[in-house]
Amino acid sequence: QLQASGGGLVQAGGSLRLSCAASGRTLSMYVLGWFRQAPGKEREFAASVTLSGSSTDYVDSVKGRFTISRHNAKNTVYLQMASLKPEDTAVYYCAAGLVAGRRAYDYTSWGQGTLVTVSS
């Protein structure tokens, strides 16, 4: 089971760090990703990190502002978000899978989501 946390209300230009911890499974065996779903929109890929953490992928809209990282010993994946914009407002979901992809079906386990609201 994946448990996401760290969301909240922040002003534009601010920062937040999301965390996603696992229980009952070892995350070191999985590719980890973050997706987000804005109100009225489909869920979209935000970032992913490979098993070792040596390779990351980001959607263009967050490149240079978001950083995904993982701490396998803590069984946790993080999403450090900086220079936040109102359009980053969404529910953020962590996910685990066996394929380093950008599609939701690449991931087999999902967290419950944490809401990030960026005010202008």
Side-chain angles (χ1 to χ4, degrees):
Q1 185 173 357
L2 302 178
Q3 182 75 30
S5 62
L9 175 63
V10 63
Q11 288 189 333
S15 300
L16 277 177
R17 188 176 82 156
L18 305 183
S19 300
C20 178
S23 59
R25 67 172 66 217
T26 302
L27 288 186
S28 61
M29 301 171 60
Y30 297 91
V31 172
L32 301 174
W34 286 94
F35 285 71
R36 62 185 184 178
Q37 187 166 15
K41 295 188 177 181
E42 294 186 353
R43 191 173 300 190
E44 68 166 357
F45 169 83
S48 67
V49 59
T50 54
L51 273 66
S52 66
S54 61
S55 182
T56 56
D57 186 27
Y58 299 92
V59 67
D60 285 348
S61 59
V62 309
K63 277 182 182 176
R65 300 188 299 120
F66 290 11
T67 303
I68 187 171
S69 61
R70 63 191 298 162
H71 196 307
N72 287 338
K74 293 184 177 180
N75 228 20
T76 302
V77 60
Y78 305 98
L79 186 68
Q80 179 69 49
M81 305 185 294
S83 301
L84 283 162
K85 305 175 181 180
E87 52 263 43
D88 293 319
T89 294
V91 176
Y92 284 72
Y93 299 89
C94 57
L98 299 178
V99 177
R102 292 187 169 201
R103 295 184 174 87
Y105 62 68
D106 291 325
Y107 299 83
T108 54
S109 297
W110 293 83
Q112 87 289 0
T114 185
L115 176 62
V116 172
T117 303
V118 184
S119 63
S120 58

